[in-house]
Every structure is written in C-alpha cells, then in structure tokens.
Amino acid sequence: VDPVAPNSNQNNCCWQPSANAINIGHGGSATFEFTLPQARQVHFTKLYVNVNAGGARGFGMGRVWDCRASRWVHYDLTRGYAKLLNPDRFISSRGTLTVMLVNEDPHRTMMISDPHQNVQINGEGYVS
C-alpha cells in the first residue's frame, strides 16, 4: 500500500459511532490480527474473511498477509466475504493471520462499527 494521507470522515451527520468504531477515510487503512489457538497443529481446507464495512465499496478493499511469500494478497470483498485460496500460507509460525482493509472509495468512509463483529474469519480444517 502506498503511503497516503487519509481523508477526513465523510459520514452523514446523524450516524453515531460506538466506542469501538473505526472510521477510515479514502486512502486510509486498518489492520486486524487474529491469533489462532494451536495453529501449528491446525491445517485449513477452507478459510474465509468476513467484513461488514458499513456500505463501503468492497472491491479492492481486502488484503491478507501471505506469510510464505512475505507479501499482501488482494481479495475482493464486494460480497462481504472472501475465500482464501491455499489458506495455510496465511497462518504465521506464531499462529496469527493478518488482514488489512484499505479504503479506496473516494465517496464513502469505511465504517467498522464493531471490530469484534464486523471483521471475522471462519473456516474448516483438521488437526494433525
């Protein structure tokens, strides 16, 4: 992501954020890290990132850190979720998965009203 000074919040006058809300203007980003218990023993066959960004455009918004290639992989979140291909590559040796949301929509502020509810992961796998 190129460093860019994010725009100020462009929400309607009547929206009141909760204490945990995150508002991201155009050009800004937020990073979320998920810690997985016993990640060294878990192998994912399916892994999804689910995001509710308050109506912000989901195309181009999602990035997931590929631990094996040491780079961000872009995912389309226009449906509110993305299926991660080859999911084990996104789990670090410390058992973390890192997701970045980038607001590329110049007309809307990305609103994560509750980070614990609006940014989640889920999947299927097995323990070795």
Side-chain angles (χ1 to χ4, degrees), residues 58-108:
F59 184 77
M61 178 173 56
R63 319 270 195 286
V64 182
W65 184 252
D66 183 331
C67 300
R68 294 182 186 163
S70 296
R71 65 179 182 90
W72 291 104
V73 177
H74 294 242
Y75 278 96
D76 180 3
L77 292 168
T78 53
R79 293 183 176 174
Y81 70 91
K83 180 179 180 180
L84 305 183
L85 303 176
N86 303 313
D88 283 344
R89 68 186 169 140
F90 299 107
I91 309 302
S92 76
S93 61
R94 297 184 343 262
T96 60
L97 179 135
T98 305
V99 175
M100 182 182 354
L101 302 178
V102 179
N103 186 353
E104 296 181 348
D105 187 342
H107 304 291
R108 290 185 180 249

Side-chain angles (χ1 to χ4, degrees), residues 35-44 91 94-95 126-128:
T35 301
L36 306 171
Q38 302 173 343
R40 292 179 192 205
Q41 300 171 2
V42 176
H43 300 280
F44 288 96
I91 309 302
R94 297 184 343 262
Y126 60 93
V127 177
S128 60

